[in-house]
């Protein structure tokens, strides 16, 4: 695929990094030559210096040949203008714009083909905020990801002594709760992935991934560990873009304290937030943390834009008695080092938000992509089309599929209707069994223990030549 | 189904996207009721569900179109092969696009199978690559196999 990425900031760079491959030809556009040089030194891609909204810049970037435009500059206006230009002058088939301001998204008609011609819009800060909210809601989870418009969830959690299923084979799940349908997609012992069979035993300390209808995920969790007490008190370090969004979304349901180092920003936040308490200070200052009763906190989230500060603040908070700590870490290498050691959850914001972009780059009708285990594994939602003659999967039973080792189908959502302003989303969630038969238009949710399997899986689920 | 006017020879095209655009223009040239932006979109949409690159440098992009009463085709011979994500990973330099009416008949599937058969002949592919005369190409594309 030929892809043009506008903006070489945090989002643009990580998108470029994850899309660079033999199959993709990538051009990154930015006004900052230093940033572009840095990217070019690391990755095999082309760069163009210039104003991303100008026709001449887009032309120079190869817009006439491009399959996909990803407009992720800091400016909503530049992104919108670039999409319109790309549609009118260059007919780029798929255009994605980053829109930070909710204003535009409140008027979807502005984004349609007659106007700004944005096929998909994303707001990375909002995606990260939603992800963090899920973790607040499920204190036992390491990751909670949604598929099929939210009907199905994939949950990662560490098995802890005391969970009903810990020390028992996976197949016991059905005996404990005959009415509960869930599928254990993978078990990690250290970095070793195990695609479980019925007799695979879950051990304490294992990282378990399971799929279930979203309304069942709490009940499945209790099989893996005793329920933690629900989250009530939060402390957030950093009142920036993500910190303030999260506080606004959480302050009605939780007691929230925000620590912001910039005095002016702290005052501004204090004026706009409701019940949350804004403190001016340094989150790596142990006296401040102790004075604010860090040992009473159910969850401490370090969300500043500085990796080192986030790591230090989270370590300190854990040490001072916070029940659970999370650090946002932009550098993958750091995140890999830290998770499961002394920081409960270390996540890179790019990794969280990139899935929504990846879905559009993939071959076939891929509705969602979530990267797991910090990028090593992946979960996919693929919509199948055609019939028994034009598809290799439709009309076949799950146990008749020829899937490579390390790939498994966990769930199907049938007859999915996404929510509209008039109607709620609807669809039938099927946790698959050996004899489940795939039907046309099913949403298939797959777990891949290794992302190198992605290509062959996508090909396998595509329609054949005869599909019209 | 195809005329010499809908055949482009030695086209300098550098991407799959441009190739589909050119095919859409050729297909709509004789049918004022079709809009090339719409046809382009349909071809792109179909490619997204699975590449129509059938191997040996050949692609057969296709789509259904409600406005048509019979199949129409267009053919492009490329100067240089381009990446097409084909089944055998080979780049494509011969592309035959087929539009079919949106009806229940399986006529279009038979047409497509016929085309796939025609292009499976290595000798014919060689001739299709060498010939620069549209009328000769038309004969090569329409005479029933074997040659």
């Amino acid at each position: 695929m030929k892809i043009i990425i506008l903006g070489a900031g945090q989002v643009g760079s990580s998108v470029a990094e994850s899309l660079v491959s033999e199959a993709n030809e990538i051009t990154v556009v930015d006004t900052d030559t230093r940033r572009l040089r840095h990217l070019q030194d690391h990755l095999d891609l082309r760069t163009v210096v210039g104003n991303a909204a100008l026709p001449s810049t887009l032309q120079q970037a190869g817009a006439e040949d491009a399959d996909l435009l990803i407009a992720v500059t800091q400016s909503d206006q530049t992104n919108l203008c670039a999409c319109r230009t790309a549609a009118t002058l260059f007919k780029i088939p798929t255009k994605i714009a980053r829109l930070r301001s909710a204003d535009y998204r409140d008027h979807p008609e502005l984004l349609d083909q007659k106007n700004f011609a944005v096929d998909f819009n994303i707001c990375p800060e909002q995606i990260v905020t939603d992800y963090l909210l899920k973790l607040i809601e499920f204190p036992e989870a390491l990751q909670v990801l949604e598929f099929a418009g939210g009907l199905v969830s994939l949950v990662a959690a560490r098995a802890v002594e005391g969970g009903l299923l810990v020390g028992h084979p996976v197949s016991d799940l059905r005996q404990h709760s005959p009415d509960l349908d869930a599928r254990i997609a993978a078990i990690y012992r250290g970095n070793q992935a195990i695609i479980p069979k019925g007799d695979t035993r879950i051990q304490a300390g294992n990282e378990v991934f399971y799929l279930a209808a979203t309304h069942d995920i709490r009940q499945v969790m209790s099989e893996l560990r005793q329920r933690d007490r629900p989250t009530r008190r939060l402390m957030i370090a950093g009142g920036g873009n993500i910190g303030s969004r999260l506080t606004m979304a959480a302050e009605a349901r939780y007691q929230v304290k925000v620590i912001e180092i910039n005095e002016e920003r702290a005052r501004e936040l204090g004026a706009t937030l409701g019940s949350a308490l804004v403190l001016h200070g340094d989150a790596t200052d142990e006296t401040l943390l102790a004075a604010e009763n860090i040992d009473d906190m159910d969850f401490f989230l370090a969300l500043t834009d500085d990796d080192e500060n986030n790591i230090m603040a989270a370590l300190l908070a854990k040490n001072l008695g916070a029940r659970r700590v999370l650090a946002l870490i932009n550098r993958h290498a750091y995140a890999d080092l830290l998770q499961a050691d002394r920081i409960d959850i270390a996540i890179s914001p790019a990794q969280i938000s990139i899935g929504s972009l990846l879905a559009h780059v993939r071959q076939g009708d891929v509705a969602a992509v979530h990267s797991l285990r910090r990028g090593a594994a992946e979960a996919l939602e693929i919509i199948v089309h055609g019939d028994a003659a034009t598809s290799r999967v439709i009309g076949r039973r799950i146990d008749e599929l020829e899937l490579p080792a390390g790939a498994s189908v966990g769930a199907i959502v049938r007859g999915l209707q996404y929510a509209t302003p008039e109607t709620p989303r609807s669809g039938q969630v099927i946790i698959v069994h050996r004899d489940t038969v795939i039907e046309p238009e099913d949403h298939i949710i797959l777990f891949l223990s290794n992302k190198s399997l992605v290509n062959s899986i996508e090909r396998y689920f595509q329609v054949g030549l005869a599909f019209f | 189904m195809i005329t010499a006017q809908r055949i482009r020879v030695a086209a300098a095209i550098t991407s799959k996207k441009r190739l589909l655009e050119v095919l859409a223009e050729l297909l709509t040239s004789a049918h004022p009721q079709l809009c090339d932006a719409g046809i382009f979109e349909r071809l792109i949409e179909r490619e997204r569900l699975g590449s129509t690159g059938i191997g040996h440098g050949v692609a057969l992009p296709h789509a259904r179109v409600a406005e048509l009463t019979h199949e129409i085709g267009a053919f492009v011979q490329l100067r240089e092969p381009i990446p097409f994500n084909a089944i055998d990973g080979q780049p494509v330099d011969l592309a035959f696009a087929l539009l079919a009416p949106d009806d229940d008949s399986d006529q279009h599937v038979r047409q497509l199978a016929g085309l796939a058969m025609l292009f499976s002949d290595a000798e014919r592919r060689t001739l299709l690559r060498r010939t620069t005369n549209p009328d000769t190409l038309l004969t090569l594309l329409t005479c029933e196999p074997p040659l």
Side-chain angles (χ1 to χ4, degrees), chain A residues 133-289:
Chain A
L133 272 174
K134 281 275 176 196
L135 291 175
I136 295 171
E137 198 183 332
F138 295 98
E140 305 89 348
L142 297 169
Q143 217 169 10
V144 182
L145 301 166
E146 291 187 335
F147 293 92
L151 285 173
V152 173
S153 292
L154 176 69
V155 182
R158 201 166 293 287
V160 174
E161 211 71 67
L164 289 172
L165 206 53
V166 178
H168 294 271
V170 166
S171 57
D172 279 15
L173 178 63
R174 183 134 316 162
Q175 287 162 24
H176 296 162
S177 342
D179 303 330
L180 186 63
D181 221 355
R183 194 176 150 101
I184 300 197
I187 298 172
Y188 280 85
R189 298 187 178 144
N191 274 328
Q192 174 92 40
I194 298 164
I195 299 291
K197 299 192 178 65
D199 59 354
T200 309
R201 272 176 199 277
I202 293 179
Q203 299 163 358
N206 290 171
E207 195 176 321
V208 179
F209 284 87
Y210 66 86
L211 270 162
T214 299
H215 54 77
D216 286 336
I217 59 178
R218 250 178 232 285
Q219 214 188 329
V220 182
M221 183 71 85
S222 59
E223 295 278 336
L224 297 173
R225 53 193 298 158
Q226 285 175 330
R227 290 279 299 281
D228 284 353
R229 62 168 197 272
T231 308
R232 278 202 303 274
R233 282 181 283 270
L234 302 177
M235 190 182 280
I236 294 172
N241 219 319
I242 293 173
S244 60
R245 270 176 200 265
L246 182 64
T247 308
M248 263 180 252
E251 64 180 352
R253 291 170 60 196
Y254 309 96
Q255 291 177 35
V256 187
K257 285 183 182 175
V258 184
I259 303 177
E260 168 57 44
I261 197 155
N262 178 315
E263 190 173 359
E264 204 180 321
R265 173 76 183 155
R267 199 168 300 130
E268 197 183 308
L269 275 177
T272 47
L273 292 172
S275 63
L277 183 64
V278 182
L279 307 158
H280 167 228
D282 182 349
T284 58
D285 172 2
E286 64 213 81
T287 2
L288 174 66
L289 292 182

Side-chain angles (χ1 to χ4, degrees), chain B residues 103-124:
Chain B
D103 58 24
D104 291 335
S105 96
D106 59 355
Q107 166 76 8
H108 49 277
V109 178
R110 283 205 301 277
Q111 291 265 22
L112 196 64
L115 285 169
M117 177 73 99
L118 187 133
F119 281 102
S120 69
D121 178 354
E123 207 176 318
R124 195 185 298 250

